[in-house]
Structure formats: structure tokens, C-alpha cells
Amino acid sequence: MGAKRVGIMTGGGDCPGLNAVIRAAVRVGCERHGFEMLGIEDATNGLIDLDYRSPSGNQWLTPASVRGILARGGTILGTSNKSDPFHFVATVEGKKVETDVSDRVMENYRKLDLDGVISIGGDGSMRIAKQFMDKGMNVVGVPKTIDNDLSATDQTFGFDTAVQIACEALDRLRDTAESHDRVMLVEVMGRDAGWIALHAGMAGGADAILIPEIPYTLSAVADVIKKRRAAGQFYSLIVVAEGAKPRGGQVCALEKKLGEMPRLMGAAHRAAEGLSEALPDIEMRVTVLGHIQRGGSPSSYDRVLATRYGVAAANLVASGQYGMMTALKGGSIQSVPIADAVAEPKVVDPEGELVRAAREIGVSFG
Ligand code: F6P
């Protein structure tokens, strides 16, 4: 039997640690198992069209070609969060329409003579992976996302770095808040999960943390600010998850575009406006961290986790354990069916120990 030919791709939003997974999987795949490894460009785009070039096209990877990427953010393979082959947006006669190009992907997978694909991605990518497995593709998944919202793993890589970045931002904003007696609101990412907000807020000493899982009331947040002032603390730090919403209200989102996820935006500005009305004499400022949370060098924790995931993914392919996703469980790397990983998102438990601990030290959830 010849060497296994294995594709590797990154899907969804970029995230610190993607390159560390690629490096580890390629090293172990090529050196230990003798794989030939094909880097697929921009998520599934390189499989939808074998002539796809943006800018380089699919490329064979070797331990030499992945040298020096461990500490680099982004992904050397490129990625996309709008290339779902089952709902692919094409322009037909000047109009955007959704089409299913999954059969073309399967044809190209066979044309490339691949034995399997390592798909590094979040919930969307794992859902797509599951659909391709049902069509006969051999897939091994690796859980990535700064949102940390994938069930079946204790942690996705990228999350630790994002929390670190948000925490550093809070430390900086505290200085200005304190110097100017202001209320600083900081909007963090996380989509429908409040993990980044909760961890960064706790690590950064926030006074209030507004998360999607606990709809807030503005009067409760205003009370926190008032109480602090009454006690001589003239500034406050409030972390607002992008998916946070007032009790009985909706998330702040832009209009959904065909083939794209709804973009969450404006949660902190909305809260600041409401608070300004209630507390007109207090200065408020909003900082939206946005994609700063996704870029840059991964933390040492994420480098190690991503490396462990990459090693495990290559080993799963070697032993033919397809349909599995690498996972962190109780400190050790294991594998779980991809189907379990996408069953339901992992969100913050409003009654859980983390939220209770935060409440005990005086953090308000609005
Ligand atoms: O899923 C990762 C994430 O960064 C979310 O936290 C955020 O809502 C979304 O992606 C932003 O996506 P985009 O890069 O398309 O703006």
C-alpha cells in the first residue's frame, strides 16, 4: 500500500494556534506516518475548485514548509467563513443564489486521491465535516474557535489567547477609567456564548459582565455604578459580550447576508446609551475589541494545546479513526465523534460554579 494522501484545511474565522496545529499534524503525519499532506486553500474553496488561487492554491506541505510558523497568528492555508459547499453562494445572471456544490467537492476529493482530510474548525466547519462524512469523505476534526462554544471538548484552542488579549485591554482601560472617573464598556466577541466575556471580565476585575446567557436589566447595571460611586469608586469597568441582550430584548446584529452568519455588533453602544440616559452626569466610553482578539501570536497555552491536537489528529488518520474530533477532556487529549461535537453549542451555565464565583466576589451580571 502506498503512502496515505491527507488533506488539511482551516475553516471559519481565523484564530491563534491554527498554524501550530498545521505544523504538528504535518510533522507527525509526514515524519512518523509517511503521509503526503496537501494543504487546501481557504477552507473548502480549494476543494470546490481545484484551480482556485487566492493567492497560491492548494500546496503540498512538508516539515520544511511548516518550519517557523508555531508562533504565527492566522493560518498559512487561508480560511473562509462563507464557503459552505452545501449552501454555496454563486452569482448567476448578476444575482446571488445559494447552490449545493458538495458533489463537486466529493469529485475533487476523489480526483486528488485523498485518503482523508483533517478539518480544523469551529461548529460550522464540524457540521460541514459531518455532512461530508455522510457522503463518504474520511474526516478527522480539530476544534478551533476563540468562542470556546464547542461541546465535547473542555476547550478549543484560540480561546486562551483571546481572553488574554481582552484581559490586557481591561487592564489598560482601567487606568483611563480611574484617571477620568469614567465608566468604560468593553465589547468582546463570542457570538452566542459568554465565555470570553466571563473569563476576561473575571481576570480583568470587571464590575459587571453582560453575557448572552443572562439577559440583563440596565437598572441593575446602573445600580452597580451608583453603589461604587457612593463607596468612593468613581469609575467602573463593564464587559459586554457581543451577543448580550437586555431582558426581553434581542441581540444587536446587522442584517444577515446570503451565505453568511449574522454579524453581531453594537451591544456595548446600546448598553452605554441606556446607561447614559439613566446616569446623565457620568461619562461613558465604549471600546469594541473586535478582531484584535483573533490576531497575533498564540499564548503558550494555546501553542501547546494546538500542538497536542495536531499530533492527535495525524495519529487518528494513521489509525483510520475517521469521523472523530480531537478533544480535551479532564486534562488529557481524547477523541469524540464529530456528530457529538455539533449536537449543541456549549454555553455558560448561569447557575454554574464560574458564574457563582464571580457573583460571590461582587460581579454583577445585570
Ligand atoms: O466565531 C468567531 C468570531 O470571531 C465570533 O466571535 C464573531 O462573532 C465572528 O467570528 C466574527 O466573524 P467575522 O470575522 O466574519 O466578522
Side-chain angles (χ1 to χ4, degrees), residues 163-174 186 237 287 289:
V163 168
Q164 185 63 35
I165 293 166
C167 175
E168 274 172 29
L170 282 170
D171 290 347
R172 289 170 193 273
L173 290 165
R174 174 185 302 281
V186 187
L237 278 180
T287 303
L289 292 184

Side-chain angles (χ1 to χ4, degrees), residues 13-14 81 144-147 189-191 196 242 262-264 291 294:
D14 71 333
N81 55 9
K144 158 248 69 153
T145 165
I146 62 164
D147 304 339
M189 283 186 164
R191 204 161 270 293
I196 299 178
E242 62 179 0
R263 287 175 63 197
L264 303 181
H291 293 85
R294 287 219 316 239

Side-chain angles (χ1 to χ4, degrees), residues 203-216:
D207 305 298
I209 305 174
L210 309 183
I211 58 174
E213 296 85 346
I214 308 178
Y216 64 87

Side-chain angles (χ1 to χ4, degrees), residues 28-313:
V28 174
C30 296
E31 284 173 352
R32 174 156 177 231
H33 302 299
F35 297 165
E36 290 169 6
M37 297 196 65
L38 182 67
I40 296 161
E41 189 174 29
D42 284 357
T44 48
N45 279 307
L47 282 181
I48 293 170
D49 175 5
L50 293 184
D51 291 324
Y52 179 85
R53 302 269 179 283
S54 180
S56 54
N58 300 338
Q59 49 182 311
W60 292 101
L61 300 173
T62 63
S65 66
V66 296
R67 195 170 294 144
I69 65 171
L70 173 64
R72 262 171 65 185
T75 160
I76 59 163
L77 299 177
T79 188
S80 168
N81 55 9
K82 44 184 182 221
S83 63
D84 175 356
F86 294 89
H87 302 276
F88 194 71
V89 177
T91 307
V92 180
E93 292 167 3
K95 269 185 80 183
K96 290 202 168 187
V97 288
E98 251 187 39
T99 52
D100 181 347
V101 294
S102 58
D103 285 340
R104 208 194 308 162
V105 168
M106 288 308 293
E107 231 172 77
N108 288 333
Y109 169 75
R110 292 192 186 104
K111 228 184 248 173
L112 289 167
D113 198 21
L114 295 177
D115 294 282
V117 171
I118 295 174
S119 171
I120 312 166
D123 56 343
S125 305
M126 291 307 132
R127 215 161 280 125
I128 294 168
K130 162 91 181 58
Q131 284 175 280
F132 276 118
M133 273 151 37
D134 296 341
K135 280 174 114 48
M137 188 185 283
N138 292 327
V139 188
V140 162
V142 177
K144 158 248 69 153
T145 165
I146 62 164
D147 304 339
N148 200 34
D149 60 350
L150 264 182
S151 51
T153 183
D154 292 349
Q155 195 156 326
T156 53
F157 69 88
F159 171 65
D160 182 73
T161 310
V163 168
Q164 185 63 35
I165 293 166
C167 175
E168 274 172 29
L170 282 170
D171 290 347
R172 289 170 193 273
L173 290 165
R174 174 185 302 281
D175 294 343
T176 303
E178 200 167 359
S179 305
H180 286 260
D181 295 341
R182 284 178 180 165
V183 173
M184 301 298 241
L185 294 98
V186 187
E187 183 172 308
V188 299
M189 283 186 164
R191 204 161 270 293
D192 302 317
W195 295 111
I196 299 178
L198 179 56
H199 281 252
M202 285 179 79
D207 305 298
I209 305 174
L210 309 183
I211 58 174
E213 296 85 346
I214 308 178
Y216 64 87
T217 58
L218 274 178
S219 56
V221 183
D223 281 350
V224 172
I225 298 166
K226 283 191 269 186
K227 270 193 200 137
R228 281 178 57 78
R229 288 179 85 86
Q233 302 279 3
F234 286 89
Y235 74 96
S236 297
L237 278 180
I238 300 173
V239 176
V240 185
E242 62 179 0
K245 48 186 177 289
R247 211 173 281 171
Q250 297 297 319
V251 293
C252 277
L254 298 183
E255 202 181 321
K256 186 184 166 340
K257 286 193 185 153
L258 196 65
E260 292 185 22
M261 301 276 283
R263 287 175 63 197
L264 303 181
M265 204 173 273
H269 278 103
R270 172 173 63 180
E273 271 165 35
L275 286 171
S276 290
E277 274 173 33
L279 306 166
D281 297 331
I282 301 178
E283 268 198 308
M284 314 260 165
R285 291 290 188 273
V286 174
T287 303
V288 179
L289 292 184
H291 293 85
I292 286 173
Q293 294 156 97
R294 287 219 316 239
S297 191
S299 66
S300 53
Y301 179 87
D302 274 336
R303 292 182 203 187
V304 174
L305 181 60
T307 298
R308 293 166 84 194
Y309 280 155
V311 170

